[in-house]
């Protein structure tokens, strides 16, 4: 547990400012881990923000990939003060505000050599569906709100911190806790219908990927490099497939987490591993269809003929959906710790560790536009509304919206 905690602390440190690490050691060699310098874009597209607003305290100390949720013309967001808000996607104006959500008693965590007190605030991103908004807390509480007015519908508790976005589907709320368990909760009252328990490796990246559902199954990526399909009805395992083998001499080398967004196509599931592997899996049998040596801790965006992702080095890849063959790659954003991409018209959009948002043409990989929200990391996946508005949240709680470029 101590080793796992030390690694998490190191990842958080690196993700919030590589320049600080450089100054500790004063060596020019550390430039090799700094984000690549940004180059001037020829004929950049117009990507001015339509609006921005500060939501209060963010999650910068926790290193979580918080993201907003969008349904129709409403954005649902949460912050570390325990507030859940519904905003208008066109203006950013508040529709409702839950104010302070009380989530139980304080707790503590070990941080290097000291034990640090933490309050029991919200830790995950909101999930939305069936007229409700559901979010988890650091003490394992799960709270459901009415999506129209913000009234609390129910709350329950699972066995550990909830950092993954809950999935609301088919009368169930699927919730992942940080101890390897996945819960199927009744969407009406939050009562437990089933639980799937899986052990965790000695080390892993902080956080879990969100569940994805389709055809009566729910799909989950795990820290040991595997993807598991569970039956929605009872939580029983339908199949399991290893995306990346956790090989190495120690826990650090064996890290192979599947933590980014997995994508579901027609009969095919696409998943990427921290170990640098991306796989297409047949959803009926769990059999691999192809495997590609390109992947990272982020997730995948899906188009009709290709999928897009960034690998651990910051290279952006477009892979053919049917074969995994590389269509193009772009490496000018090296070491910028890119998010899972969002598809914004004809562009793939990535956030980075220095607070920049990048628009890359999906057709050929050229960088077309750039905007900086603030000097804070963007870790959560940008989200796109039905009207084309792109919404991006930094780790310090600044939310910005960008209309679709012409």
């Amino acid at each position: 547990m101590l080793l796992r905690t030390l690694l998490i602390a190191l990842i958080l440190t690196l993700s919030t400012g590589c320049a600080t690490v450089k100054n500790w050691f004063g060596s020019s060699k550390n430039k090799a881990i700094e984000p690549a310098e940004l180059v001037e874009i020829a004929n950049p597209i117009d990507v001015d923000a339509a609006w921005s607003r500060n939501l209060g305290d963010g999650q910068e100390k926790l290193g979580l990939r918080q993201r907003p949720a969008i349904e129709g013309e409403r954005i649902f967001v949460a912050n570390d003060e325990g507030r859940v808000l519904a905003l208008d996607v066109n203006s950013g104006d508040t529709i409702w505000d839950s104010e302070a959500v009380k989530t139980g008693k304080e707790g503590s965590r070990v941080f290097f050599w000291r034990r640090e007190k933490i309050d029991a605030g919200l830790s995950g991103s909101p999930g939305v569906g069936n007229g409700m908004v559901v979010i988890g807390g650091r003490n394992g509480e799960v709270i459901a709100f009415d999506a129209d007015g913000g009234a609390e519908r129910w709350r329950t508790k699972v066995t550990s911190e909830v950092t993954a976005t809950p999935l609301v589907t088919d009368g169930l709320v699927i919730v992942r806790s940080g101890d390897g368990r996945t819960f199927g909760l009744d969407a009406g009252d939050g009562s437990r219908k089933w639980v799937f328990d899986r052990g965790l490796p000695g080390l892993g990246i902080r956080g879990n990927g969100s569940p994805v559902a389709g055809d009566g199954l729910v799909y989950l990526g795990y820290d040991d490099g595997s993807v598991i399909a569970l039956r929605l009805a009872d939580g029983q395992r339908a199949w399991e497939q290893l995306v990346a083998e956790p090989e190495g001499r120690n826990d650090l080398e064996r890290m192979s987490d599947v933590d980014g967004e997995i994508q579901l196509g027609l009969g095919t599931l696409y998943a990427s591993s921290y170990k640098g592997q991306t796989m297409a899996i047949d959803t009926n049998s769990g059999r691999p269809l192809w495997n590609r040596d390109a992947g990272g801790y982020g997730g995948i965006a899906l188009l009709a003929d290709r999928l897009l992702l960034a690998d651990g080095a910051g290279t952006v890849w477009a892979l053919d959906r049917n074969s995994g063959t590389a269509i193009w790659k772009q490496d000018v954003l090296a070491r910028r710790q890119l998010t899972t991409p969002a598809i914004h018209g004809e562009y793939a959009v990535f956030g980075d560790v220095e607070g920049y948002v990048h628009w890359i043409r999906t057709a050929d990989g050229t960088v077309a536009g750039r905007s900086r929200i603030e000097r804070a990391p963007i870790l959560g996946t940008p989200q796109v509304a039905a009207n084309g508005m792109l919404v991006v949240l930094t780790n310090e709680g600044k939310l910005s919206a960008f209309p679709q470029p012409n």
Side-chain angles (χ1 to χ4, degrees):
M1 179 61 70
L2 179 58
L3 185 58
R4 185 183 179 94
T5 304
L6 290 174
L7 178 70
I8 290 168
L10 177 60
I11 290 171
L12 295 182
T13 302
L14 292 175
S15 69
T16 53
C18 293
T20 303
V21 178
K22 173 191 168 190
N23 292 336
W24 287 349
F25 298 98
S27 171
S28 61
K29 292 181 180 179
N30 289 295
K31 290 183 178 180
I33 65 172
E34 292 180 355
E37 293 186 8
L38 297 174
V39 299
E40 185 176 352
I41 301 172
N43 302 315
I45 60 175
D46 183 7
V47 289
D48 292 334
W51 55 263
S52 294
R53 62 174 292 177
N54 290 307
L55 302 176
D57 290 343
Q59 300 274 7
E60 70 275 9
K61 294 180 181 180
L62 301 180
L64 297 172
R65 287 177 272 179
Q66 272 214 332
R67 65 188 190 191
I70 300 178
E71 185 178 62
E73 295 193 348
R74 293 176 298 178
I75 305 167
F76 301 96
V77 289
N79 68 10
D80 201 43
E81 297 172 348
R83 295 168 60 204
V84 179
L85 300 94
L87 311 176
D88 183 272
V89 73
N90 297 298
S91 64
D93 294 339
T94 300
I95 298 172
W96 55 258
D97 184 344
S98 72
E99 298 185 357
V101 177
K102 302 300 182 183
T103 55
K105 298 179 180 180
E106 295 179 337
S108 64
R109 64 175 171 217
V110 176
F111 189 80
F112 278 97
W113 53 86
R114 69 180 185 275
R115 181 171 292 274
E116 180 181 273
K117 185 174 73 172
I118 59 170
D119 62 351
L122 302 175
S123 56
S125 300
V128 60
N130 296 340
M132 67 173 65
V133 181
V134 185
I135 191 165
R138 289 201 291 274
N139 66 344
E141 278 200 307
V142 181
I143 309 170
F145 301 91
D146 180 77
D148 291 329
E152 184 178 319
R153 288 192 178 184
W154 50 259
R155 68 172 62 199
T156 189
K157 197 164 186 178
V158 295
T159 52
S160 183
E161 178 184 37
V162 177
T163 59
T165 303
L167 172 67
V168 185
T169 181
D170 294 336
L172 289 173
V173 177
I174 310 301
V175 176
R176 301 189 65 177
S177 61
D179 57 4
R181 294 181 174 94
T182 299
F183 297 83
L185 306 178
D186 187 281
D189 59 11
S191 60
R192 186 181 302 182
K193 309 296 287 187
W194 52 259
V195 59
F196 176 78
D197 191 357
R198 182 177 182 82
L200 297 174
L203 272 181
I205 296 173
R206 179 159 164 72
N208 300 117
S210 301
V212 173
D215 297 326
L217 298 174
V218 58
Y219 305 96
L220 307 158
Y222 275 89
D223 292 0
D224 61 0
S226 63
V227 171
I228 296 177
L230 305 178
R231 297 200 303 256
L232 274 171
D234 56 15
Q236 294 298 304
R237 179 165 35 200
W239 54 256
E240 178 174 344
Q241 175 59 51
L242 195 63
V243 175
E245 188 75 38
E247 298 176 329
R249 295 168 295 179
N250 52 54
D251 285 344
L252 183 60
E253 291 181 353
R254 286 191 291 271
M255 285 175 59
S256 55
D257 306 49
V258 178
D259 275 345
E261 281 92 332
I262 54 182
Q263 293 289 347
L264 184 61
L266 294 175
T268 306
L269 188 78
Y270 303 90
S272 186
S273 165
Y274 176 81
K275 199 77 171 177
Q277 299 287 318
T278 297
M279 181 178 286
I281 304 169
D282 180 84
T283 55
N284 291 319
S285 64
R287 178 177 58 89
L289 301 174
W290 55 256
N291 194 17
R292 173 78 187 186
D293 291 334
Y297 84 98
I300 294 168
L302 201 60
L303 291 173
D305 64 340
R306 66 194 65 188
L307 52 93
L308 294 104
L309 69 151
D311 66 19
T315 299
V316 178
W317 293 84
L319 304 180
D320 183 272
R321 277 181 60 164
N322 294 320
S323 65
T325 303
I327 300 171
W328 52 258
K329 69 175 183 177
Q330 173 61 267
D331 60 6
V332 299
L333 302 177
R335 304 179 302 281
R336 300 197 70 84
Q337 300 179 45
L338 301 176
T339 65
T340 301
I343 302 302
H344 197 206
E346 60 186 82
Y347 306 96
V349 181
F350 297 81
D352 78 12
V353 72
E354 293 186 330
Y356 286 97
V357 185
H358 306 271
W359 282 256
I360 296 177
R361 288 187 175 87
T362 59
D364 58 13
T366 57
V367 179
R370 178 189 306 138
S371 180
R372 193 175 202 178
I373 296 179
E374 63 173 341
R375 296 178 182 273
I378 301 168
L379 301 182
T381 306
Q383 303 294 306
V384 180
N387 67 355
M389 193 74 79
L390 175 86
V391 183
V392 187
L393 179 65
T394 73
N395 260 31
E396 291 186 359
K398 187 169 184 180
L399 186 72
S400 294
F402 301 85
Q404 186 169 302
N406 296 323

